[in-house]
Amino acid sequence: PTDELSDVLKTCRSQKVSLTSFLAALMCKTLEESVESKGYAGSLIKIDIPMNTRKVCMLNLNCEPKGCKIGNFVAPLELQYNMNDCRNIWEVAKYFQERLYVQSVDNISDTINNVKLLDVVDNAEFIKEKLRVAGLPGTFEITNLGLQKFDQTPGLSSEFKVEDAFFNEPQGISNIFTCAIISTPVGGLNCSISYPRNIKAEFQPFIERVRNKVSEK
């Protein structure tokens, strides 16, 4: 709900981390607590975060948003967390925030160039090779569309009022599960989690813990 989301955002600001960094840390720490060690091999959690680079491209091209014809160009950011790490959730969130800043600001050219390498890859063969590999390369993906205010511009009347919004994406060939997030001023934050049916029994306690932790004051 909006009031609980406001509390979470205030705490994130006081800790100097983004909501995305906090949620990534929350997922990691909750996985660490929820999944029995016999249920997995290894200790490294890999998180993928798609980033829309449109604003960065506009900045580098020095063009105004109204006159810019650039479409969406999504680049992948990557975080890693070791479950043998004893840091608390805010220490992990701050570490993630630093890594995201490096990839999305300091080394943004390298991040974009990594995507451009796919231009020289045979897409069909690339996907086939991914399917041949035993196990998925990533643990989970977070796609956060952020706060969407829709038509709430002062002075403009609208026939419709958006009360809530939902966003989802399928669990695919890159990650074990996906977290698709969107927030609105009235409906608050919605997170849709997609995961394979065959891990439902092990996964449900994790989802319940995440839900409870987000609601903690």
Side-chain angles (χ1 to χ4, degrees):
T2 307
D3 57 341
E4 291 184 10
L5 174 59
S6 178
D7 290 341
V8 171
L9 291 173
K10 284 178 184 176
T11 310
C12 286
R13 282 193 290 270
S14 71
Q15 296 288 337
K16 297 184 168 75
V17 299
S18 68
L19 180 63
T20 300
S21 295
F22 163 69
L23 291 173
L26 174 69
M27 298 287 178
C28 287
K29 297 301 290 185
T30 310
L31 273 174
E32 193 176 45
E33 298 167 5
S34 306
V35 183
E36 294 184 17
S37 58
K38 65 181 180 181
Y40 61 86
S43 62
L44 197 66
I45 293 175
K46 178 174 171 288
I47 308 113
D48 293 314
I49 301 180
M51 173 195 174
N52 186 347
T53 64
R54 191 166 190 263
K55 288 183 180 179
V56 176
C57 292
M58 286 193 297
L59 185 65
N60 285 318
L61 294 172
N62 195 27
C63 62
E64 295 295 325
K66 289 184 179 179
C68 188
K69 303 292 185 184
I70 297 172
N72 291 336
F73 184 76
V74 178
L77 307 183
E78 181 183 307
L79 301 172
Q80 291 189 351
Y81 172 74
N82 194 315
M83 287 197 289
N84 295 326
D85 196 333
C86 296
R87 286 179 288 186
N88 66 41
I89 189 170
W90 293 112
E91 290 172 330
V92 176
K94 287 175 182 177
Y95 168 71
F96 285 169
Q97 187 69 31
E98 291 170 4
R99 294 305 307 151
L100 289 176
Y101 187 87
V102 168
Q103 295 174 69
S104 63
V105 180
D106 291 349
N107 296 343
I108 186 61
S109 295
D110 293 341
T111 301
I112 291 175
N113 285 333
N114 284 337
V115 180
K116 290 162 69 175
L117 288 174
L118 292 174
D119 290 343
V120 297
V121 172
D122 183 313
N123 291 335
E125 288 301 317
F126 181 71
I127 292 174
K128 285 177 185 176
E129 190 58 37
K130 272 183 171 285
L131 293 172
R132 287 192 198 104
V133 178
L136 296 169
T139 311
F140 65 93
E141 175 184 304
I142 290 183
T143 305
N144 185 8
L145 296 186
L147 180 65
Q148 301 296 321
K149 295 183 178 180
F150 297 99
D151 187 12
Q152 291 194 357
T153 307
L156 290 180
S157 61
S158 175
E159 185 179 352
F160 301 101
K161 176 184 176 182
V162 176
E163 294 184 351
D164 213 348
F166 297 88
F167 160 56
N168 201 3
E169 56 185 356
Q171 182 270 338
I173 62 171
S174 297
N175 304 90
I176 297 171
F177 67 96
T178 61
C179 307
I181 302 160
I182 186 169
S183 304
T184 55
V186 179
L189 180 146
N190 283 308
C191 175
S192 300
I193 300 180
S194 299
Y195 60 93
R197 291 188 181 93
N198 62 338
I199 64 170
K200 182 176 181 179
E202 297 88 349
F203 207 70
Q204 281 302 124
F206 161 74
I207 293 178
E208 289 304 317
R209 283 194 178 189
V210 169
R211 183 182 287 113
N212 292 336
K213 283 176 180 287
V214 171
S215 299
E216 288 175 4
K217 300 298 182 186

